[in-house]
């Protein structure tokens, strides 16, 4: 990522953190701030922090209009971390599966449900074959 883009994402992240840390909490505004702070961290390749921001929204504001997407991104971001070697496959797989299973329980009709189901099938098939 070009340095100029990193600078802009870092500046945007600072603004979202101001909303999180300094303004009175409201369900929509605070959830939105965590959402976009998570996306900024993801773009800056701070995947562990991004996952934490996404998880806060899912845990605290499950009715937020994009909570389903953030639940999906928890799984996807954990998968990226596994693929990059940031976390071990044995550590990641159970967390990824849990994230997708939670998505299917909480948001079964969401646009990401099909992808989550496909990922769960892939992990189940990999386990049968001995891979993870």
């Amino acid at each position: 990522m070009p340095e100029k883009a990193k600078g802009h994402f870092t500046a945007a992240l600072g603004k979202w953190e101001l909303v999180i840390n300094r303004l009175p909490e409201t369900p929509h505004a605070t959830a939105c701030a965590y959402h976009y702070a998570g996306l900024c961290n993801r773009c800056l390749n701070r995947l562990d922090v991004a996952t934490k921001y996404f998880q806060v929204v899912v845990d605290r504001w499950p009715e937020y209009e994009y909570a389903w997407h953030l639940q999906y991104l928890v799984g996807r971001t954990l998968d990226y971390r596994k693929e990059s070697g940031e976390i071990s496959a044995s550590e990641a797989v159970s967390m990824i599966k849990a994230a997708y299973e939670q998505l299917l329980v909480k948001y079964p009709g969401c646009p990401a449900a099909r992808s989550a189901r496909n990922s769960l099938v892939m992990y189940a098939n990999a386990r049968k074959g001995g891979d993870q």
Side-chain angles (χ1 to χ4, degrees):
M1 173 182 297
E3 285 304 311
K4 191 171 184 176
K6 284 182 186 178
H8 289 302
F9 279 113
T10 300
L13 177 59
K15 299 297 183 187
W16 292 120
E17 288 178 343
L18 283 173
V19 173
I20 291 166
N21 295 316
R22 294 195 182 167
L23 295 179
E25 185 176 298
T26 64
H28 180 75
T30 309
C32 187
Y34 273 96
H35 177 169
Y36 287 104
L39 292 176
C40 287
N41 276 296
R42 192 168 188 245
C43 290
L44 292 166
N45 206 34
R46 299 176 190 154
L47 302 179
D48 59 330
V49 177
T51 303
K52 290 174 187 173
Y53 276 97
F54 299 151
Q55 193 65 55
V56 167
V57 176
V58 171
D59 291 343
R60 291 177 63 187
W61 303 285
E63 299 303 319
Y64 173 63
E65 65 182 309
Y66 299 111
W68 65 269
H69 186 243
L70 299 179
Q71 181 64 58
Y72 179 72
L73 287 179
V74 168
R76 291 292 300 144
T77 303
L78 286 164
D79 199 26
Y80 293 148
R81 292 176 69 199
K82 176 181 71 75
E83 294 302 320
S84 72
E86 184 181 332
I87 54 177
S88 69
S90 60
E91 180 184 4
V93 169
S94 63
M95 292 188 299
I96 294 166
K97 288 168 55 177
Y100 291 146
E101 288 166 354
Q102 187 176 11
L103 177 114
L104 294 174
V105 167
K106 287 184 170 181
Y107 313 103
C110 77
R114 173 191 251 175
S115 180
R117 275 192 293 279
N118 290 342
S119 293
L120 288 170
V121 167
M122 178 195 69
Y123 282 115
N125 288 339
R127 186 170 189 164
K128 288 176 191 173
D131 291 334
Q132 282 194 8

